[in-house]
Amino acid sequence: MIKRIVILLVLLMLAFIFVNLAASYSEQTSLSALGHYYVEQGPSELGAANLVTAVVVTYRGLDTLGEVTVLFISAAGVGLLLRRTRRKDDHEDLEQGDRAEETAIARKPASEIVETATELLLPMVILFGIYVFLNGHLSPGGGFQGGAIIASGTMFLLLALPESHISRLMIAITESLSGFSYVVIGVLGVILAGGFLDNRIIGLGTYGHLFSAGAIPLIYVFVGLKVGFELSAVLDRFRKEDSGPL
Amino acid sequence: MSFFGDLQISMIVLCSGLGLVLIGLWGILTQRNLIRMIIGFSLLDTGIHMVMVSIGYVTGGTAPIINDDVPMATAVSRVVDPVPSALVLTAIVIGLGVTAVMLSFAVRIFRARRTLMIDECTESKW
């Protein structure tokens, strides 16, 4: 009872703070100094039409590298936590639980409509994901969004054909290679241009074209591949945990 | 629109965001089921994202993408702040990673205990 009152009190106090915050809030009528600089200089300095991309990939590129690292660690954590241990000294309960889970998993297959739709739509979903991360510097979207779309394609596949096999080795290799290339591009920025993750290591190209904005499309391709495969691996881990580490 | 008078659009987003934060926190604090707590966390997360997006909004602004409709010359006066948008993008991805790890902890606890109620897991309390 005391606990409930404390919780209520905490929420009420927080609500009080929020009401005061909202009451004193007024919409900005012009950009902040930093935003103003990015909007004014971004297109001519980096050649990216999508200014959010310019901020994410170049101005705040180090944050994005950290973000990719966090995602990698969480994917690794999921893999570690959901690994099915096959050791004999395991808890008896756990083994029983596993068996109960396996019988629960043996359910009806997906209907033919879902299966056919998946076969038809899966290539398009993946193609759309690739389109989104290739055009990240020109239109809404980018590596993370494209990667999430690719992972939703994997989700689709796992829902329709739960038995389909996803190669963990392929996922691991693609993921590590794209993460590595991302860092290599960052270091090349130090050597060839103004600093770590500077996108001007190759020419900026024609403004507004697919091959423009220097290394931004390259970085986004690697980010997109990495995120897509990482999220697919996470989804695969949640589906079944019995096929070993790779 | 006339019903709301001169209510600003970002005010609506800000208030919904703060409301979601409160609902999510309530869920985390009161629910005993792990999945529901994780849902509470996701609501809290989404609320924070909405608050951040609303703070970056500039009156009458559009997406900070330069194209034919938003030419480079007038962009400064017509787009919203790109910095909060970029921060929210980062925050969404990290929230996703944290949620995935929380869910896999829930799977582990369920596998060991056959239950998702935290009341049943008492030996590590306090």
Side-chain angles (χ1 to χ4, degrees):
Chain A
M1 194 60 207
I2 293 287
K3 214 169 168 183
R4 294 215 164 252
I5 293 172
V6 170
I7 289 171
L8 202 67
L9 215 63
V10 166
L11 289 177
L12 278 178
M13 285 195 291
L14 212 60
F16 179 70
I17 297 174
F18 284 171
V19 167
N20 276 320
L21 274 180
S24 64
Y25 170 79
S26 61
E27 217 167 79
Q28 294 183 75
T29 47
S30 63
L31 289 173
S32 64
L34 186 67
H36 190 279
Y37 174 82
Y38 287 160
V39 172
E40 205 172 46
Q41 299 297 322
S44 49
E45 214 171 43
L46 306 177
N50 183 346
L51 295 164
V52 177
T53 296
V55 174
V56 166
V57 178
T58 305
Y59 289 125
R60 298 268 158 204
L62 198 62
D63 290 2
T64 306
L65 188 61
E67 178 186 355
V68 170
T69 314
V70 168
L71 198 63
F72 170 72
I73 291 171
S74 80
V78 170
L80 190 71
L81 283 169
L82 294 185
R83 190 184 48 194
R84 176 136 323 178
T85 43
R86 282 281 169 226
R87 277 172 295 152
K88 287 276 177 271
D89 57 357
D90 257 346
H91 207 265
E92 187 65 20
D93 262 8
L94 198 143
E95 287 293 314
Q96 275 177 3
D98 284 356
R99 246 170 275 133
E101 221 169 304
E102 267 151 30
T103 44
I105 281 169
R107 58 180 182 272
K108 272 200 298 185
S111 74
E112 201 172 333
I113 297 175
V114 176
E115 276 180 27
T116 314
T118 301
E119 279 164 18
L120 197 69
L121 284 177
L122 189 66
M124 286 188 240
V125 170
I126 290 178
L127 195 67
F128 181 57
I130 293 171
Y131 168 82
V132 165
F133 67 62
L134 270 183
N135 284 282
H137 56 304
L138 300 175
S139 58
F144 296 97
Q145 296 89 327
I149 292 171
I150 290 179
S152 75
T154 311
M155 183 83 219
F156 210 10
L157 181 72
L158 294 183
L159 282 177
L161 308 160
E163 298 307 314
S164 52
H165 177 70
I166 294 174
S167 163
R168 295 242 168 96
L169 187 67
M170 195 259 292
I171 284 179
I173 289 174
T174 319
E175 204 186 303
S176 333
L177 274 184
S178 27
F180 181 72
S181 319
Y182 183 17
V183 178
V184 165
I185 289 178
V187 173
L188 278 179
V190 178
I191 301 168
L192 301 174
F196 190 62
L197 285 170
D198 196 326
N199 71 329
R200 288 165 292 185
I201 51 173
I202 47 181
L204 287 185
T206 321
Y207 179 80
H209 284 68
L210 183 59
F211 295 103
S212 67
I216 287 180
L218 266 178
I219 290 176
Y220 255 174
V221 166
F222 292 131
V223 170
L225 284 176
K226 190 165 166 59
V227 171
F229 279 89
E230 235 156 34
L231 295 184
S232 304
V234 167
L235 292 172
D236 186 45
R237 284 287 183 188
F238 275 109
R239 173 183 60 149
K240 61 172 172 28
E241 306 92 25
D242 54 349
S243 45
L246 275 177
Chain B
M1 200 59 214
S2 59
F3 179 76
F4 290 106
D6 56 348
L7 188 62
Q8 293 158 324
I9 186 112
S10 65
M11 193 66 168
I12 302 172
V13 179
L14 182 82
C15 291
S16 332
L18 292 176
L20 274 180
V21 170
L22 284 178
I23 295 171
L25 210 59
W26 172 81
I28 292 173
L29 290 174
T30 57
Q31 297 300 314
R32 319 305 295 164
N33 185 316
L34 281 172
I35 298 292
R36 291 184 181 201
M37 292 168 86
I38 294 170
I39 291 172
F41 175 86
S42 296
L43 285 176
L44 174 74
D45 219 33
T46 312
I48 294 172
H49 299 157
M50 285 171 78
V51 171
M52 283 165 79
V53 166
S54 73
I55 288 171
Y57 184 72
V58 176
T59 309
T62 178
I65 296 167
I66 311 285
N67 56 17
D68 295 340
D69 295 325
V70 187
M72 225 186 283
T74 61
V76 172
S77 57
R78 293 192 51 197
V79 298
V80 301
D81 201 332
V83 181
S85 311
L87 288 179
V88 168
L89 174 57
T90 308
I92 289 172
V93 174
I94 289 178
L96 177 83
V98 173
T99 311
V101 173
M102 282 195 297
L103 281 171
S104 50
F105 268 113
V107 168
R108 275 302 278 264
I109 290 172
F110 182 78
R111 218 188 269 159
R113 302 294 176 115
R114 317 306 304 160
T115 178
L116 282 169
M117 308 304 282
I118 50 166
D119 294 324
E120 317 269 324
C121 314
T122 49
E123 75 283 290
S124 62
K125 203 176 176 184
W126 306 119

